[in-house]
Amino acid sequence: MSATSCLLSQDQFLCSICLDVFTSPVTLPCGHNFCKSCITQDWKINRKCKCPVCKKIFEVITELHVNTFISEMAAQFKEAAGKEASQIAQPGEVLCGVCTRARLKASKSCLVCLSSYCESHLQRHREVAGLKKHRLTEPLDNLEDRVCSTHNELMELYCRTDQVCVCHCCSETDHQSHDIVLLSEESSERRSQLGDMKAELQLMVHERELRIEELRRSERLSGEAAGKAVAAGSQVFSALIQFVESGLKRLTEQIRQKQETAAGQAESLIQELTQEISELMNRREEVEQLSRSDDHLRLLQSVSPLKASLPTKNCRDVSLHQLSYEGTVARAVAQLKDTLSQEAEELLRAELKRVQQYAVDVTLDPKTAHPKLILSEDRKEVTHSNTVGNLPDGPQRFSFCVVVLAQQSFSSGRSYYEVEVKGKTKWDLGVISESANRRGQVTSCPGAGYWILQLRNGNEYVALADPDVLLSVKSQPQRVGVFVDYEEGLVSFYNVDSADIIYSFTGCCFTENLRPFFSPCFNDDGHNSAPLRISAIHKT
């Protein structure tokens, strides 16, 4: 009995009680079969001999005999089913291309039929004369990709010249003079390369894991810095709110005291006038009585004293000075403004101090200097001369603009340096991209890789932001601080003396190195002869 036939008739070998293959099967008089233990247990529970299928009741059956034929058939079925189960394809194994129900694993692959067969379906290749000539190999998947489409042969060779898999016929024809090796040999070499690739991939994974840790650390530090900034801002603005509330309290108290003084004066005058009214009413009563008296002597004697006792003060002269509160609020606001200005100045100096911690040492690069610029020996100072120096020309040197760059460049992080501009009426300062144009007339704007602040005519400060921004500066700086935050895309210019921010380029997208930029401009017949000097950082 074949495994396939067993699978097709498996219902015939199942006990209807336990639904499993018969164990010691017995046949009832009605013709139905059951496991001996199953039917015995069923009758014991129901206390009657009854067929579970047709419900026919029998007289007491004292002994049940095992049906040897069905028992042998069930045993063969179990054996065939177990054998077939062992042939079921596991993940990764090649499947038989003919099996339609249970996909058995293939025993061989045919290079002519381009299909794989299990032991059962392989029988025809072993019995039919025409199929016996077919070439069988160990099971292979994707046979269509493994067989040469031209010669219908298995591709067992590799052409290193054309880097393709070929069969033996191909190696003797189209690839005759090429470097041909066995697939196994090439595979072994590629496997070695895969080992190196695996190590390289592992290194790349490790580098990215380290990068993730660095990013998380940066994020954590950024969060801590943000928290500190919020705390500092809360402290500052809480102090400002206290200043405002204190100013309002003082103003309210001053107005209240002034009003209370005026109210006291008014009350005193009112009491005085009330007393006079009382006295005048008494005199009026006396005058009334005296006018009705017939005693001429008493009348004459009383008129003069009564007249003399009348108040001499004119009540029209009694008045309260109307208080004025004009300017009270303005004076309080002015005082508060002075206080806030002092506080703001302290905050600005604190901010500048934080920026100055990123100070870097900057020196001038003579290879970039315009021929009319003179650099000091320490390369910290630059001045303009009317005489052209005998210098070799090169792509790094500015040919038209009187500019020199720093030797150093910035490609990440934060950097800060200061430049002394005392005594100058013109200058340009800032940073430029490494690849920004230096030849001929240059366009100074962020789009061209220039982030520049300039002074013109002694008091006109302009940010070359395209369009240019004319700036309002409280006081002329003697030293200018330049701060660059590469990742933040920020270039800020500080008045070091007042700690004010003159201007900031924000939202910049830096993709290459940045070089500090210095232009003392023309000396204007001595009116602008003072040098630009990179100064040491004296923290405010």
Side-chain angles (χ1 to χ4, degrees), residues 270-464:
I270 290 171
Q271 289 179 359
E272 182 180 345
L273 291 174
T274 302
Q275 181 65 31
E276 290 182 358
I277 290 172
S278 177
E279 293 178 358
L280 289 171
M281 291 180 68
N282 291 334
R283 296 296 181 272
R284 188 180 65 178
E285 183 64 27
E286 292 178 7
V287 169
E288 183 67 25
Q289 293 176 1
L290 190 60
S291 64
R292 295 175 183 174
S293 175
D294 294 334
D295 188 346
H296 303 293
L297 178 60
R298 182 171 174 270
L299 175 64
L300 294 175
Q301 290 177 343
S302 300
V303 169
S304 296
L306 184 62
K307 188 176 182 180
S309 64
L310 294 175
T312 59
K313 186 176 182 181
N314 189 350
C315 67
R316 294 178 180 177
D317 296 334
V318 177
S319 63
L320 183 66
H321 176 65
Q322 182 65 38
L323 297 180
S324 173
Y325 297 97
E326 299 297 332
T328 303
V329 176
R331 287 191 296 272
V333 171
Q335 183 179 3
L336 179 62
K337 182 180 179 181
D338 292 340
T339 305
L340 294 179
S341 296
Q342 295 173 6
E343 185 69 16
E345 184 176 348
E346 292 179 6
L347 292 175
L348 289 173
R349 294 198 176 279
E351 176 65 22
L352 179 58
K353 185 176 180 180
R354 282 192 290 270
V355 168
Q356 286 176 329
Q357 67 179 318
Y358 301 107
V360 294
D361 185 24
V362 175
T363 54
L364 302 175
D365 183 2
K367 290 183 294 185
T368 66
H370 185 274
K372 286 190 175 183
L373 294 181
I374 300 175
L375 307 186
S376 62
E377 287 189 13
D378 61 0
R379 297 184 181 176
K380 294 286 187 178
E381 188 173 293
V382 56
T383 55
H384 173 258
S385 172
N386 293 324
T387 304
V388 178
N390 186 17
L391 300 173
D393 195 10
Q396 299 184 49
R397 190 179 304 283
F398 283 85
S399 62
F400 184 82
C401 301
V402 285
V403 174
V404 61
L405 301 182
Q407 185 81 42
Q408 294 74 19
S409 63
F410 313 137
S411 59
S412 63
R414 302 176 180 90
S415 306
Y416 176 83
Y417 59 93
E418 292 180 358
V419 183
E420 186 175 335
V421 295
K422 183 178 181 180
K424 297 196 65 62
T425 59
K426 296 179 182 179
W427 50 256
D428 290 2
L429 293 174
V431 294
I432 71 169
S433 298
E434 185 73 55
S435 64
N437 178 40
R438 308 178 194 179
R439 313 299 292 174
Q441 182 71 47
V442 299
T443 301
S444 300
C445 67
Y450 283 75
W451 292 269
I452 305 299
L453 176 71
Q454 67 175 204
L455 169 67
R456 290 293 180 269
N457 302 323
N459 57 4
E460 294 180 3
Y461 294 86
V462 181
L464 305 184

Side-chain angles (χ1 to χ4, degrees), residues 131-154:
L131 297 179
K132 286 183 179 180
K133 298 179 181 180
H134 288 191
R135 184 178 176 185
L136 301 178
T137 66
E138 292 302 313
L140 298 171
D141 57 354
N142 300 326
L143 278 172
E144 295 83 354
D145 298 333
R146 297 174 180 271
V147 174
C148 176
S149 59
T150 303
H151 304 102
N152 205 30
E153 284 194 9
L154 186 67

